[in-house]
Amino acid sequence: MPARPIWRGHLRLALVSCPVALWNARHDRAGIRFNLINPDTGHRIRMVTQDAETGKDLDRRDLVKGYEFRKDHYLLLTDDDFNSVKVESSSVITVEKFVDTDSIDPVYYDAAYFLAPDGDAGRDVYAVLREAIAKTGKIALARVVISQRERTIALRPAGEGLMAHTLYEDRDLNSSKDLFDGLDGIKTDPEMVQLATQLVQRQSGKYDASDLEDRYETRLRAMIDAKLKGEGIDLSAEPPEERDTNVIDLMAALKKSLGQSAQAKPAAAKKPTAKETKGKRAAQPPAKASRKRA
């Protein structure tokens, strides 16, 4: 389960509403990731946030967003500016209409989210809305603001809850007109179509999500493991702990902060006991008497 929802608000149908939250339905699995490396040193390349003109290093927390209204001229925007243009869908998902499932071409589907109740309040209302959508076999269309962009979403039943799919706009998609132009006018041989139909029927089966394996990544991982083994690198051996070194460095830093030397002071001389002092006096020769002047 994701650490936290990406959106919180209310789901509304006419005069009925309940608190809900959007959760990411997918996550970035532990795939093979690569870093850019300097081949001369074997060190990683560090991406630095800098001022494009002065070259000064900057902290990303101190940056603001800017709109380029002219070449190299930017209008700076603050959080208050973005809050001033919020619309209702920033906090409320209002169902606008219901459509048939097959009326939405799959190419329009984008990201998937779980739309779940947010807390205990309104769970009964959520259950009623979910059951009503499931019985009609329809998909509910609504709007929501995600990442400062209002998106149309399709709500459909999934298990005991609801799934929300963001939908692309027409302007987000490339046109296929030039690619498919003239294909519908090609004459086909009925016998060949019949043979192809039989082939499709012979290879028909049930969809299984476990079949969707990235075979390229599997072979890539096997190749990397083989190269590591060839280099004599044992991944099972844990690197040595550096806890003691860190403690020593921390002690040195603390002493330096206090103006003390990081080196240990020599041990103080041991104070002799009374018995040792008495023996030392007895071993000393008697002092000569001083000659008095006449």
Side-chain angles (χ1 to χ4, degrees):
M1 179 60 64
R4 58 182 180 273
I6 66 162
W7 183 91
R8 275 192 164 104
H10 284 76
L11 173 63
R12 177 190 298 166
L13 175 60
L15 299 178
V16 180
S17 66
C18 61
V20 293
L22 280 175
W23 303 77
N24 274 312
R26 59 172 298 274
H27 63 275
D28 292 329
R29 58 188 173 91
I32 301 177
R33 299 180 182 275
F34 299 94
N35 297 301
L36 291 178
I37 304 297
N38 181 356
D40 296 332
T41 63
H43 300 159
R44 285 183 56 182
I45 301 301
R46 181 169 57 186
M47 301 300 179
V48 182
T49 302
Q50 292 182 336
D51 187 297
E53 298 297 329
T54 65
K56 180 181 178 181
D57 292 344
L58 301 172
D59 192 334
R60 294 184 64 88
R61 295 176 299 181
D62 299 330
L63 304 182
V64 297
K65 295 180 179 180
Y67 173 75
E68 187 176 18
F69 61 92
R70 192 184 303 137
K71 180 65 174 178
D72 295 333
H73 289 75
Y74 302 89
L75 174 66
L76 303 185
L77 300 174
T78 65
D79 291 340
D80 292 337
D81 294 323
F82 289 108
N83 291 332
S84 66
V85 296
K86 278 188 173 181
V87 293
E88 183 186 34
S89 55
S90 300
S91 57
V92 179
I93 298 177
T94 301
V95 176
E96 298 180 351
K97 64 178 178 179
F98 295 88
V99 299
D100 294 332
T101 301
D102 56 3
S103 65
I104 302 178
D105 193 306
V107 73
Y108 286 94
Y109 284 97
D110 182 18
Y113 302 91
F114 298 120
L115 183 65
D118 191 13
D120 295 332
R123 293 177 68 89
D124 53 343
V125 177
Y126 177 92
V128 169
L129 294 179
R130 186 260 171 214
E131 187 67 18
I133 296 175
K135 280 189 174 183
T136 60
K138 300 284 188 178
I139 284 183
L141 294 183
R143 296 174 181 270
V144 63
V145 174
I146 302 176
S147 299
Q148 297 173 347
R149 180 183 174 187
E150 187 180 47
R151 303 294 302 273
T152 299
I153 58 174
L155 304 179
R156 65 174 181 85
E160 299 180 358
L162 290 170
M163 290 290 297
H165 299 270
T166 52
L167 301 177
Y168 288 117
E169 300 179 39
D170 281 332
R171 57 181 176 176
D172 296 325
L173 303 175
N174 295 323
S175 174
S176 62
K177 182 178 180 180
D178 295 337
L179 300 175
F180 299 154
D181 186 33
L183 291 179
D184 58 347
I186 298 178
K187 294 182 178 181
T188 57
D189 186 342
E191 185 177 356
M192 294 181 63
V193 173
Q194 179 63 27
L195 292 174
T197 303
Q198 293 177 4
L199 180 61
V200 171
Q201 293 174 345
R202 182 183 304 174
Q203 295 187 214
S204 297
K206 293 184 178 180
Y207 169 78
D208 189 348
S210 62
D211 293 336
L212 307 181
E213 177 191 4
D214 186 345
R215 295 176 298 176
Y216 173 78
E217 180 184 353
T218 301
R219 298 186 63 179
L220 181 61
R221 191 180 297 277
M223 178 270 292
I224 291 176
D225 291 342
K227 289 181 69 69
L228 289 173
K229 186 176 181 180
E231 295 289 339
I233 300 176
D234 185 7
L235 297 181
S236 62
E238 296 183 0
E241 294 185 1
E242 300 180 354
R243 187 172 301 175
D244 294 340
T245 302
N246 293 337
V247 172
I248 294 175
D249 293 342
L250 177 59
M251 181 63 73
L254 291 173
K255 288 184 177 181
K256 186 176 181 180
S257 299
L258 294 174
Q260 301 176 4
S261 172
Q263 299 179 354
K265 294 183 178 180
K270 183 180 179 182
K271 186 177 181 180
T273 62
K275 183 176 181 180
E276 291 174 344
T277 303
K278 183 177 180 180
K280 185 177 180 181
R281 289 178 179 175
Q284 291 179 352
K288 294 181 179 181
S290 60
R291 182 179 297 178
K292 294 182 180 182
R293 292 184 178 179

